[in-house]
Amino acid sequence: MSSPAARFDRGHTDDLMTFLAASPSQYHAVANAAERLEKAGFRQLAETDAWDASTGGKFVLRGGAIIAWYVPEGAAAHTPFRIVGAHTDSPNLRVKPLPDTGTQGWRQIAVEIYGGTLLNTWLDRDLGLAGRLTLRDGTERLVNIDRALMRVPQLAVHLDRSVNSDGLKLDKQRHMQPIWGLGDVQEGDLIGFLEDEEGLDRGSVAGWDLMVHSIEPPAYLGRDRELLAGPRMDNLLSVHAGVAALAAASAAENLTYIPVLAAFDHEENGSQSDTGADGPLLGNVLERSVFSRGGSYEDRARAFAGAICLSSDTGHAVHPNYAERHDPSHHPRANGGPILKVNVNQRYATDGSGRAVFVNACERAGVPWQTFVSNNSMPCGTTIGPITAARHGIQTVDIGVAILSMHSARELCGADDPYLLANTMLAFLAS
């Protein structure tokens, strides 16, 4: 079936801003995605339970990853999958196992650098703290201190006179530890503070996965508010669009595929984890879906062979101050529609056949589209796309939204592009 043009509009971008602000960690992002899917009629399955052959929307949560799918009435065991892939993690500063540190009368938090973050964008920003706490009984608690709790102060120009001429040089160990108070360092201070904030008994927290976030909310930018500035758009922009598209696709009639959303953790450091794209999670879920509907290995092979994945991740918009860093004939622009990402060395999984899939979806959705390819003299990044294609033997196409300041604490995109991407995803899933 054809998806209606402009199913999503600027209201989708407003909702994206709400989603970004409410998702300071990948754990919050999947919890928010699950809540939205539940409102659309999806139900959570436990991986440790037996799965039945029932139809409808289902999802599995594991750490910072979510796999969701919708089985339409009458779906055969060999019905192929249409998958939207994304990732939930973003480069940032992560709290170390022994977090309490400091010197010279300043109390600080020991952090480790996660992913390829732009370090300078974390300087002189009011920072909060978010993530998950694991209690001694094994239960987990999401935590979000969304106020000015800490700050990474930059050295004053008077003490670094050459900074504007020679460039800022930051040592990841010495220069990136945020301050959060004055006084002597006390072991257990940070976790004790979080226990108090959450109303927990002291000593009840046994483990934690915590990260720093900028507390500045997303905002429209520009004379005509045609731009969107915000945190973690790489890659919660794609996660949010995928959730919206899957929920809308579940209400479509005459689905010929099983629509799927696969949002993974740990893309920013290689995807090799039990919640990453290079782990078994997606394959296990898809296989169990086939087998729970009475399918055989032959049905599984047919379903995978007919499957297609749109791997959606942000890409680079042409930068007005550094246009020479881009390929001279490929200049993706903000509000120009989603981008098709191509690299012949398989840093992206797109080929000519995949291009046709993407173009077909854009045309059915009535949205414009663009192409991104790297300057030959610049190394190319990668995505979950090649991993998904190689690990599962599923045809994969790399797409996304063009942004500026990728891997900054605060990124920038066109305000129309999020809903143009969501419309494309809907047309793909509901075809």
Side-chain angles (χ1 to χ4, degrees), residues 162-233:
S162 63
V163 64
N164 290 324
S165 57
D166 296 344
L168 178 64
K169 297 179 176 62
L170 294 171
D171 182 281
K172 294 179 180 180
Q173 180 63 39
R174 292 186 296 122
H175 300 150
M176 296 305 298
Q177 311 307 313
I179 61 172
W180 76 307
L182 299 171
D184 297 331
V185 178
Q186 298 290 329
E187 184 177 351
D189 256 7
L190 178 65
I191 301 306
F193 162 76
L194 294 176
E195 288 170 334
D196 292 345
E197 288 284 310
E198 291 298 304
L200 299 169
D201 294 335
R202 285 292 182 109
S204 60
V205 173
W208 53 87
D209 301 279
L210 299 168
M211 57 209 70
V212 170
H213 68 276
S214 171
I215 64 170
E216 186 180 3
Y220 287 113
L221 184 145
R223 185 194 66 180
D224 299 318
R225 294 162 54 88
E226 71 268 44
L227 301 171
L228 174 65
R232 300 176 294 280
M233 287 197 282

Side-chain angles (χ1 to χ4, degrees), residues 374-419:
S374 290
N375 185 307
N376 289 344
S377 300
M378 305 288 292
C380 180
T382 191
T383 69
I384 66 165
I387 295 170
T388 302
R391 183 168 183 84
H392 305 294
I394 291 175
Q395 181 185 13
T396 303
V397 189
D398 271 297
I399 68 166
V401 161
I403 70 171
L404 293 181
S405 306
M406 186 185 295
H407 288 195
S408 168
R410 194 168 177 84
E411 297 158 327
L412 183 72
C413 75
D416 296 341
D417 283 327
Y419 70 79

